Amino acid sequence: MPLHTIHELMSLQLMACALGIISQPFQRIPVTNVKTVEPDLSLADVYYTAARKRIGLLDTASLEYLQTTFLSGVYEMYTLRPLVAWHSFHAACSSMQLYFKSRDPQLESSETRNLEQRLHWSCFKSER
């Protein structure tokens, strides 16, 4: 497996691990029964930091870069850092333009096109 592919997979996996640690399923709980389970933010930050280090090794015109950068913004929103999150969303939107200019639309599968569309609109809405 080429080295760049390993970094792409690692960055997405690490970011998914960080988000998995800090996120919790939504549950409707009466205000009187509030029991907060604190996620292990220090462990989530370790995964997040490792993923951010690998983002720099990715091609900025790749889907993996766009996904990882977008998920970085999601992580920042979970940790209540909206300005840092906006920078990640903005970077993903800017790189999305470069990605669309550099790809060959005739070589894309319908599955890839669907992913591109979902990612484009998620980035666009999040940045706004």
Side-chain angles (χ1 to χ4, degrees):
M1 187 177 285
L3 188 58
H4 70 332
T5 306
I6 293 170
H7 287 298
E8 290 168 357
L9 293 174
M10 289 286 293
S11 62
L12 273 173
Q13 289 172 342
L14 290 168
M15 193 63 70
C17 288
L19 284 166
I21 291 170
I22 63 168
S23 63
Q24 297 176 5
F26 177 76
Q27 297 176 353
R28 291 190 185 270
I29 301 172
V31 177
T32 57
N33 296 342
V34 175
K35 296 178 187 174
T36 58
V37 177
E38 292 296 319
D40 188 359
L41 292 178
S42 61
L43 181 59
D45 278 338
V46 169
Y47 280 108
Y48 175 73
T49 302
R52 290 294 299 175
K53 287 178 182 177
R54 284 166 178 78
I55 287 176
L57 301 172
L58 300 176
D59 176 15
T60 56
S62 70
L63 272 176
E64 290 78 13
Y65 174 83
L66 297 171
Q67 289 174 307
T68 307
T69 305
F70 174 75
L71 291 175
S72 174
V74 172
Y75 179 87
E76 294 294 348
M77 289 300 286
Y78 261 105
T79 56
L80 302 176
R81 296 182 282 221
L83 187 58
V84 179
W86 179 83
H87 284 285
S88 294
F89 294 138
H90 180 70
C93 281
S94 299
S95 296
M96 182 71 75
Q97 294 173 7
L98 177 65
Y99 170 78
F100 281 129
K101 288 180 184 178
S102 67
R103 72 173 170 79
D104 185 3
Q106 295 175 348
L107 297 177
E108 301 291 323
S109 67
S110 63
E111 187 177 299
T112 302
R113 269 189 234 108
N114 288 336
L115 174 62
E116 291 170 349
Q117 290 173 356
R118 289 191 308 269
L119 189 57
H120 169 75
W121 287 111
S122 294
C123 289
F124 180 77
K125 288 182 203 176
S126 297
E127 184 187 24
R128 297 294 173 259

